[in-house]
Amino acid sequence: MIEVRSLVKRYGSHLAVDHLDFTVEDGQIFGFLGPNGAGKSTTMNIMTGYMGATEGDVLLDGHSITDEPEPVKRSIGYLPEQPPLYTDMTVEEYLLFAAALKKVPRGQRGEQVDQVMEMTGTFSVRGRLIRNLSKGYKQRVGLRQALLGFPKVLILDEPTVGLDPKQILEIRTLVRELSQKHTVILSSHILSEIQEMCDHLLIIHHGKKVAAGAPDQLERELAGPPALELTLRGGAEEAIRVLGSLSGCTALTPQPCREEGCCALRLEQAPGADLREAVFTRCAQEGLPLLELRRNAITLEDLFLQLTADDAQQTPPEEEPAPDVPEEADGETEEDLP
Protein backbone atom coordinates (compact mmCIF):
# COMPACT_ATOMS: atom_id res chain seq x y z
CA MET A 1 0.00 0.00 0.00
CA ILE A 2 1.17 3.53 -0.84
CA GLU A 3 0.41 6.39 1.53
CA VAL A 4 0.99 10.02 0.58
CA ARG A 5 0.90 12.09 3.75
CA SER A 6 0.50 15.89 3.83
CA LEU A 7 2.77 16.31 0.81
CA VAL A 8 3.99 19.85 0.12
CA LYS A 9 6.31 21.08 -2.65
CA ARG A 10 7.29 24.73 -3.04
CA TYR A 11 9.32 26.33 -5.82
CA GLY A 12 10.21 29.67 -4.31
CA SER A 13 6.90 31.43 -3.70
CA HIS A 14 4.92 29.00 -5.84
CA LEU A 15 3.12 26.16 -4.03
CA ALA A 16 2.98 23.29 -6.55
CA VAL A 17 1.67 20.60 -4.16
CA ASP A 18 -0.47 21.73 -1.25
CA HIS A 19 -0.79 19.28 1.69
CA LEU A 20 -1.84 16.38 -0.50
CA ASP A 21 -3.09 13.16 1.13
CA PHE A 22 -4.16 9.94 -0.57
CA THR A 23 -3.77 6.16 -0.39
CA VAL A 24 -3.29 3.60 -3.17
CA GLU A 25 -4.31 0.04 -2.30
CA ASP A 26 -2.39 -2.99 -3.55
CA GLY A 27 -3.51 -4.25 -6.96
CA GLN A 28 -5.34 -1.08 -7.98
CA ILE A 29 -5.14 0.78 -11.26
CA PHE A 30 -5.14 4.27 -9.76
CA GLY A 31 -6.00 7.19 -12.04
CA PHE A 32 -4.31 10.52 -11.34
CA LEU A 33 -6.10 13.47 -12.99
CA GLY A 34 -5.63 17.21 -13.11
CA PRO A 35 -5.17 20.08 -15.59
CA ASN A 36 -1.73 21.16 -16.75
CA GLY A 37 0.18 22.65 -13.84
CA ALA A 38 -1.97 20.94 -11.20
CA GLY A 39 1.02 19.21 -9.58
CA LYS A 40 0.66 15.67 -11.00
CA SER A 41 4.18 15.25 -12.36
CA THR A 42 5.70 16.93 -9.30
CA THR A 43 3.84 14.48 -7.04
CA MET A 44 4.96 11.50 -9.15
CA ASN A 45 8.58 12.69 -9.10
CA ILE A 46 8.46 12.90 -5.30
CA MET A 47 6.84 9.44 -5.04
CA THR A 48 9.65 7.91 -7.10
CA GLY A 49 12.40 9.67 -5.14
CA TYR A 50 13.49 11.77 -8.13
CA MET A 51 13.00 14.95 -6.08
CA GLY A 52 12.46 15.73 -2.42
CA ALA A 53 9.34 17.13 -0.81
CA THR A 54 9.30 20.42 1.07
CA GLU A 55 7.08 18.81 3.71
CA GLY A 56 5.29 15.50 4.17
CA ASP A 57 6.25 11.97 3.19
CA VAL A 58 5.46 9.01 0.96
CA LEU A 59 5.31 5.51 2.44
CA LEU A 60 5.35 2.21 0.58
CA ASP A 61 4.40 -0.74 2.79
CA GLY A 62 5.47 1.36 5.77
CA HIS A 63 8.86 2.38 4.31
CA SER A 64 9.47 6.12 4.01
CA ILE A 65 10.87 7.54 0.76
CA THR A 66 12.67 10.10 2.92
CA ASP A 67 14.17 7.84 5.59
CA GLU A 68 14.49 4.58 3.61
CA PRO A 69 14.82 5.61 -0.04
CA GLU A 70 16.58 2.46 -1.32
CA PRO A 71 13.87 -0.17 -0.56
CA VAL A 72 11.15 2.22 -1.79
CA LYS A 73 12.94 3.00 -5.06
CA ARG A 74 13.55 -0.70 -5.71
CA SER A 75 9.81 -1.28 -5.39
CA ILE A 76 8.81 1.38 -7.95
CA GLY A 77 9.13 1.39 -11.74
CA TYR A 78 8.65 4.81 -13.36
CA LEU A 79 7.75 5.77 -16.92
CA PRO A 80 7.89 9.59 -17.25
CA GLU A 81 5.93 11.36 -19.97
CA GLN A 82 9.11 11.50 -22.09
CA PRO A 83 10.91 8.15 -21.66
CA PRO A 84 14.62 8.72 -20.81
CA LEU A 85 16.02 6.79 -23.80
CA TYR A 86 19.56 6.75 -25.18
CA THR A 87 18.78 6.73 -28.86
CA ASP A 88 22.25 5.73 -30.07
CA MET A 89 21.89 2.35 -28.28
CA THR A 90 20.04 -0.69 -29.51
CA VAL A 91 16.98 -1.73 -27.52
CA GLU A 92 18.84 -4.65 -25.95
CA GLU A 93 21.90 -2.55 -25.07
CA TYR A 94 19.74 0.08 -23.42
CA LEU A 95 17.77 -2.44 -21.36
CA LEU A 96 20.93 -4.19 -20.16
CA PHE A 97 22.30 -0.76 -19.19
CA ALA A 98 19.07 0.09 -17.35
CA ALA A 99 19.17 -3.28 -15.55
CA ALA A 100 22.69 -2.49 -14.35
CA LEU A 101 21.58 0.94 -13.09
CA LYS A 102 18.78 -0.77 -11.16
CA LYS A 103 21.33 -3.11 -9.58
CA VAL A 104 19.83 -6.25 -11.07
CA PRO A 105 22.42 -9.01 -10.38
CA ARG A 106 24.70 -9.48 -13.40
CA GLY A 107 23.67 -13.12 -13.87
CA GLN A 108 19.98 -12.21 -14.04
CA ARG A 109 20.12 -9.20 -16.40
CA GLY A 110 19.88 -11.08 -19.70
CA GLU A 111 17.02 -13.23 -18.43
CA GLN A 112 15.08 -10.23 -17.12
CA VAL A 113 15.54 -8.33 -20.38
CA ASP A 114 14.17 -11.34 -22.28
CA GLN A 115 11.22 -11.55 -19.88
CA VAL A 116 10.20 -7.90 -20.21
CA MET A 117 10.55 -8.11 -23.99
CA GLU A 118 8.21 -11.09 -23.99
CA MET A 119 5.74 -9.28 -21.73
CA THR A 120 5.63 -6.29 -24.09
CA GLY A 121 5.74 -8.28 -27.33
CA THR A 122 8.82 -6.55 -28.73
CA PHE A 123 11.43 -9.25 -29.36
CA SER A 124 11.46 -8.26 -33.04
CA VAL A 125 13.12 -4.87 -32.35
CA ARG A 126 15.73 -5.90 -29.79
CA GLY A 127 18.63 -5.28 -32.18
CA ARG A 128 17.36 -1.98 -33.63
CA LEU A 129 18.73 1.44 -32.75
CA ILE A 130 16.22 3.26 -30.56
CA ARG A 131 16.37 6.37 -32.75
CA ASN A 132 14.95 4.33 -35.64
CA LEU A 133 11.86 3.19 -33.74
CA SER A 134 8.36 4.62 -34.06
CA LYS A 135 7.00 6.58 -31.11
CA GLY A 136 4.83 3.64 -30.08
CA TYR A 137 7.82 1.34 -29.84
CA LYS A 138 9.88 3.97 -28.00
CA GLN A 139 7.05 4.15 -25.45
CA ARG A 140 7.20 0.37 -25.08
CA VAL A 141 10.97 0.50 -24.54
CA GLY A 142 10.41 3.06 -21.78
CA LEU A 143 7.83 0.76 -20.23
CA ARG A 144 10.24 -2.16 -20.38
CA GLN A 145 12.88 -0.27 -18.40
CA ALA A 146 10.21 0.51 -15.78
CA LEU A 147 9.48 -3.22 -15.50
CA LEU A 148 13.10 -4.26 -14.97
CA GLY A 149 13.62 -5.56 -11.46
CA PHE A 150 9.90 -6.46 -11.43
CA PRO A 151 8.86 -3.68 -9.03
CA LYS A 152 5.68 -3.93 -7.01
CA VAL A 153 4.44 -0.51 -8.20
CA LEU A 154 4.41 1.02 -11.69
CA ILE A 155 3.98 4.79 -12.08
CA LEU A 156 3.09 5.75 -15.65
CA ASP A 157 2.92 9.45 -16.55
CA GLU A 158 0.90 9.96 -19.76
CA PRO A 159 1.85 6.56 -21.24
CA THR A 160 -0.28 7.04 -24.37
CA VAL A 161 0.52 10.67 -25.20
CA GLY A 162 1.16 11.19 -28.91
CA LEU A 163 0.27 7.63 -29.91
CA ASP A 164 -2.12 6.66 -32.68
CA PRO A 165 -5.42 4.85 -31.83
CA LYS A 166 -3.96 1.38 -32.50
CA GLN A 167 -0.95 2.05 -30.28
CA ILE A 168 -3.20 3.45 -27.54
CA LEU A 169 -5.26 0.25 -27.53
CA GLU A 170 -2.08 -1.83 -27.32
CA ILE A 171 -0.79 0.16 -24.32
CA ARG A 172 -4.21 -0.07 -22.60
CA THR A 173 -4.24 -3.84 -23.02
CA LEU A 174 -0.69 -4.07 -21.70
CA VAL A 175 -1.52 -1.95 -18.63
CA ARG A 176 -4.50 -4.18 -17.80
CA GLU A 177 -2.28 -7.25 -18.03
CA LEU A 178 0.37 -5.63 -15.83
CA SER A 179 -2.22 -4.75 -13.19
CA GLN A 180 -2.67 -8.46 -12.45
CA LYS A 181 0.79 -8.49 -10.82
CA HIS A 182 1.52 -4.81 -10.15
CA THR A 183 -0.12 -1.79 -8.58
CA VAL A 184 -0.40 0.80 -11.37
CA ILE A 185 -0.62 4.58 -10.92
CA LEU A 186 -1.65 6.13 -14.21
CA SER A 187 -1.74 9.79 -15.19
CA SER A 188 -3.52 10.80 -18.39
CA HIS A 189 -5.41 13.70 -19.99
CA ILE A 190 -7.64 11.25 -21.89
CA LEU A 191 -10.59 11.03 -19.50
CA SER A 192 -12.34 8.19 -21.33
CA GLU A 193 -9.14 6.17 -20.99
CA ILE A 194 -8.93 6.80 -17.25
CA GLN A 195 -12.62 6.00 -16.77
CA GLU A 196 -12.33 2.74 -18.68
CA MET A 197 -9.14 1.46 -17.08
CA CYS A 198 -8.99 2.70 -13.49
CA ASP A 199 -10.48 1.29 -10.28
CA HIS A 200 -10.00 4.54 -8.35
CA LEU A 201 -9.54 8.18 -9.33
CA LEU A 202 -7.89 11.19 -7.71
CA ILE A 203 -8.46 14.66 -9.17
CA ILE A 204 -6.14 17.45 -8.04
CA HIS A 205 -6.29 21.16 -8.76
CA HIS A 206 -3.65 23.76 -7.79
CA GLY A 207 -1.87 20.99 -5.87
CA LYS A 208 -4.92 20.09 -3.76
CA LYS A 209 -7.19 17.06 -3.80
CA VAL A 210 -10.64 18.07 -5.05
CA ALA A 211 -12.23 14.63 -5.55
CA ALA A 212 -11.41 10.95 -5.03
CA GLY A 213 -13.23 7.66 -5.46
CA ALA A 214 -14.29 5.03 -7.98
CA PRO A 215 -15.41 6.53 -11.33
CA ASP A 216 -19.06 5.52 -10.92
CA GLN A 217 -19.04 6.64 -7.28
CA LEU A 218 -17.78 10.11 -8.24
CA GLU A 219 -20.48 10.44 -10.89
CA ARG A 220 -23.20 9.49 -8.39
CA GLU A 221 -21.97 11.64 -5.51
CA LEU A 222 -20.92 14.78 -7.39
CA ALA A 223 -23.42 14.84 -10.22
CA GLY A 224 -26.60 14.15 -8.26
CA PRO A 225 -29.64 12.62 -9.97
CA PRO A 226 -29.56 13.01 -13.77
CA ALA A 227 -31.99 15.47 -15.31
CA LEU A 228 -34.64 14.32 -17.77
CA GLU A 229 -34.77 15.79 -21.28
CA LEU A 230 -38.32 15.78 -22.71
CA THR A 231 -39.82 16.55 -26.09
CA LEU A 232 -43.62 16.85 -26.19
CA ARG A 233 -46.21 17.84 -28.78
CA GLY A 234 -47.86 21.05 -27.67
CA GLY A 235 -46.91 24.25 -25.88
CA ALA A 236 -44.38 24.64 -23.07
CA GLU A 237 -46.89 26.32 -20.73
CA GLU A 238 -49.29 23.38 -20.96
CA ALA A 239 -46.47 20.88 -20.45
CA ILE A 240 -45.21 22.73 -17.37
CA ARG A 241 -48.75 22.83 -15.93
CA VAL A 242 -49.15 19.06 -16.41
CA LEU A 243 -45.72 17.96 -15.16
CA GLY A 244 -44.76 20.68 -12.69
CA SER A 245 -46.80 19.15 -9.85
CA LEU A 246 -45.04 15.76 -9.97
CA SER A 247 -43.57 14.79 -6.62
CA GLY A 248 -39.78 14.91 -6.90
CA CYS A 249 -39.73 17.52 -9.68
CA THR A 250 -37.57 20.44 -8.52
CA ALA A 251 -37.50 22.48 -11.74
CA LEU A 252 -38.88 22.50 -15.28
CA THR A 253 -36.99 24.65 -17.77
CA PRO A 254 -37.96 25.23 -21.43
CA GLN A 255 -35.21 24.32 -23.91
CA PRO A 256 -34.74 25.22 -27.60
CA CYS A 257 -36.86 23.00 -29.84
CA ARG A 258 -36.65 22.84 -33.64
CA GLU A 259 -39.72 20.66 -34.16
CA GLU A 260 -42.76 22.65 -35.22
CA GLY A 261 -45.71 22.40 -32.81
CA CYS A 262 -43.53 20.83 -30.10
CA CYS A 263 -41.68 21.93 -26.98
CA ALA A 264 -38.60 20.71 -25.16
CA LEU A 265 -38.15 20.76 -21.37
CA ARG A 266 -35.44 19.94 -18.88
CA LEU A 267 -36.83 18.37 -15.70
CA GLU A 268 -34.59 18.48 -12.61
CA GLN A 269 -35.15 15.71 -10.05
CA ALA A 270 -34.78 15.61 -6.28
CA PRO A 271 -32.02 13.37 -4.86
CA GLY A 272 -32.99 9.71 -5.13
CA ALA A 273 -35.89 10.40 -7.50
CA ASP A 274 -36.47 8.71 -10.87
CA LEU A 275 -39.49 10.30 -12.54
CA ARG A 276 -39.35 8.61 -15.95
CA GLU A 277 -42.36 6.33 -15.29
CA ALA A 278 -44.31 9.11 -13.59
CA VAL A 279 -43.71 11.47 -16.53
CA PHE A 280 -44.89 8.84 -19.02
CA THR A 281 -48.01 8.05 -16.97
CA ARG A 282 -48.96 11.72 -16.39
CA CYS A 283 -48.53 12.58 -20.10
CA ALA A 284 -50.72 9.61 -21.10
CA GLN A 285 -53.42 10.59 -18.58
CA GLU A 286 -53.49 14.21 -19.75
CA GLY A 287 -53.41 13.40 -23.46
CA LEU A 288 -50.05 15.15 -23.90
CA PRO A 289 -48.04 13.25 -26.58
CA LEU A 290 -44.56 12.42 -25.26
CA LEU A 291 -42.20 12.16 -28.23
CA GLU A 292 -38.86 11.77 -26.46
CA LEU A 293 -37.68 11.06 -22.92
CA ARG A 294 -34.04 10.55 -21.98
CA ARG A 295 -31.78 10.90 -18.97
CA ASN A 296 -29.05 13.52 -19.26
CA ALA A 297 -26.41 11.98 -16.98
CA ILE A 298 -23.29 14.00 -16.23
CA THR A 299 -20.03 12.49 -17.49
CA LEU A 300 -16.58 12.27 -15.94
CA GLU A 301 -15.49 14.97 -18.39
CA ASP A 302 -18.27 17.26 -17.13
CA LEU A 303 -17.19 16.67 -13.53
CA PHE A 304 -13.56 17.33 -14.37
CA LEU A 305 -14.42 20.63 -16.06
CA GLN A 306 -16.60 21.70 -13.12
CA LEU A 307 -13.94 20.90 -10.54
CA THR A 308 -11.20 22.71 -12.46
CA ALA A 309 -13.32 25.47 -14.02
CA ASP A 310 -11.21 28.45 -12.96
CA ASP A 311 -8.32 27.29 -15.16
CA ALA A 312 -10.03 28.93 -18.11
CA GLN A 313 -9.13 32.34 -16.65
CA GLN A 314 -5.76 31.48 -15.14
CA THR A 315 -2.34 30.75 -16.53
CA PRO A 316 -1.30 27.30 -15.29
CA PRO A 317 1.68 27.43 -12.93
CA GLU A 318 4.82 25.79 -14.14
CA GLU A 319 5.88 22.45 -12.71
CA GLU A 320 9.39 21.23 -12.13
CA PRO A 321 10.90 20.25 -15.49
CA ALA A 322 10.83 16.55 -16.33
CA PRO A 323 14.11 14.58 -16.25
CA ASP A 324 16.41 15.41 -19.16
CA VAL A 325 15.94 13.17 -22.14
CA PRO A 326 18.87 12.60 -24.48
CA GLU A 327 18.35 14.31 -27.82
CA GLU A 328 17.80 12.04 -30.77
CA ALA A 329 20.52 11.86 -33.36
CA ASP A 330 19.82 13.26 -36.78
CA GLY A 331 18.65 10.75 -39.34
CA GLU A 332 15.67 9.08 -40.83
CA THR A 333 13.24 7.07 -38.71
CA GLU A 334 11.23 4.01 -39.55
CA GLU A 335 7.66 4.57 -38.40
CA ASP A 336 6.33 1.18 -39.45
CA LEU A 337 7.97 -1.85 -37.98
CA PRO A 338 7.22 -5.51 -38.62
Side-chain angles (χ1 to χ4, degrees):
M1 183 172 71
I2 302 171
E3 298 175 79
V4 175
R5 297 181 176 178
S6 299
L7 203 63
V8 175
K9 182 63 179 179
R10 292 187 179 90
Y11 301 124
S13 61
H14 171 56
L15 187 60
V17 181
D18 187 0
H19 297 89
L20 189 61
D21 290 276
F22 63 91
T23 300
V24 184
E25 300 292 340
D26 290 343
Q28 279 187 339
I29 302 181
F30 186 93
F32 200 25
L33 289 171
N36 288 333
K40 302 187 303 299
S41 293
T42 297
T43 302
M44 288 182 168
N45 285 332
I46 294 172
M47 293 173 70
T48 59
Y50 175 74
M51 68 172 63
T54 306
E55 299 174 27
D57 204 356
V58 177
L59 280 74
L60 175 58
D61 291 338
H63 297 284
S64 165
I65 188 68
T66 303
D67 300 331
E68 305 171 85
E70 287 301 320
V72 175
K73 290 180 180 180
R74 281 197 299 268
S75 299
I76 295 176
Y78 181 37
L79 174 64
E81 183 175 345
Q82 297 183 7
L85 304 177
Y86 291 92
T87 58
D88 57 344
M89 289 183 172
T90 67
V91 172
E92 187 170 22
E93 288 170 344
Y94 170 74
L95 292 177
L96 288 170
F97 173 67
L101 290 178
K102 292 190 172 191
K103 299 181 181 179
V104 175
R106 184 182 296 272
Q108 299 177 20
R109 291 173 193 169
E111 181 182 355
Q112 282 205 21
V113 167
D114 287 345
Q115 285 181 275
V116 298
M117 282 186 177
E118 184 175 357
M119 292 169 65
T120 55
T122 49
F123 262 113
S124 61
V125 299
R126 66 186 302 163
R128 290 180 179 263
L129 288 175
I130 292 175
R131 68 167 174 258
N132 292 333
L133 299 180
S134 67
K135 185 162 187 176
Y137 272 88
K138 287 176 182 175
Q139 202 77 351
R140 284 174 175 260
V141 174
L143 185 55
R144 286 180 221 153
Q145 67 78 23
L147 285 167
L148 287 170
F150 303 112
K152 181 177 181 180
V153 177
L154 291 173
I155 298 180
L156 311 178
D157 192 359
E158 300 285 352
T160 61
V161 66
L163 303 186
D164 64 38
K166 182 176 182 294
Q167 293 167 338
I168 289 174
L169 289 175
E170 291 172 350
I171 294 295
R172 284 184 189 175
T173 300
L174 182 57
V175 169
R176 291 192 193 97
E177 293 173 354
L178 293 172
S179 69
Q180 297 174 13
K181 296 182 179 179
H182 305 266
T183 299
V184 180
I185 300 175
L186 176 67
S187 171
S188 176
H189 284 97
I190 306 175
L191 300 184
S192 59
E193 178 176 278
I194 288 285
Q195 188 168 21
E196 180 181 336
M197 295 176 61
C198 296
D199 309 311
H200 193 92
L201 301 180
L202 172 68
I203 301 176
I204 68 172
H205 186 41
H206 297 315
K208 295 181 179 181
K209 178 172 68 175
V210 294
D216 55 349
Q217 174 193 350
L218 287 178
E219 289 181 353
R220 288 195 307 269
E221 293 181 355
L222 299 180
L228 300 182
E229 301 286 350
L230 316 174
T231 302
L232 307 101
R233 190 171 302 282
E237 290 185 5
E238 174 68 7
I240 291 173
R241 182 190 66 79
V242 169
L243 300 175
S245 60
L246 286 174
S247 177
C249 173
T250 59
L252 267 174
T253 309
Q255 303 293 306
C257 182
R258 295 181 179 179
E259 294 189 55
E260 188 176 350
C262 300
C263 67
L265 299 173
R266 178 182 175 88
L267 188 153
E268 304 286 348
Q269 305 178 97
D274 183 355
L275 300 184
R276 288 175 295 175
E277 185 175 345
V279 167
F280 175 83
T281 301
R282 180 65 62 86
C283 288
Q285 291 172 344
E286 297 290 332
L288 188 63
L290 178 63
L291 304 181
E292 184 178 1
L293 169 61
R294 62 185 177 88
R295 301 174 73 186
N296 187 13
I298 195 168
T299 66
L300 179 61
E301 182 175 359
D302 296 327
L303 289 175
F304 180 83
L305 293 174
Q306 288 178 16
L307 293 169
T308 61
D310 63 337
D311 267 31
Q313 289 82 34
Q314 296 185 16
T315 301
E318 294 183 359
E319 293 192 18
E320 184 75 4
D324 289 338
V325 180
E327 294 185 0
E328 296 189 10
D330 293 333
E332 298 180 354
T333 62
E334 298 173 10
E335 291 297 330
D336 298 315
L337 294 169

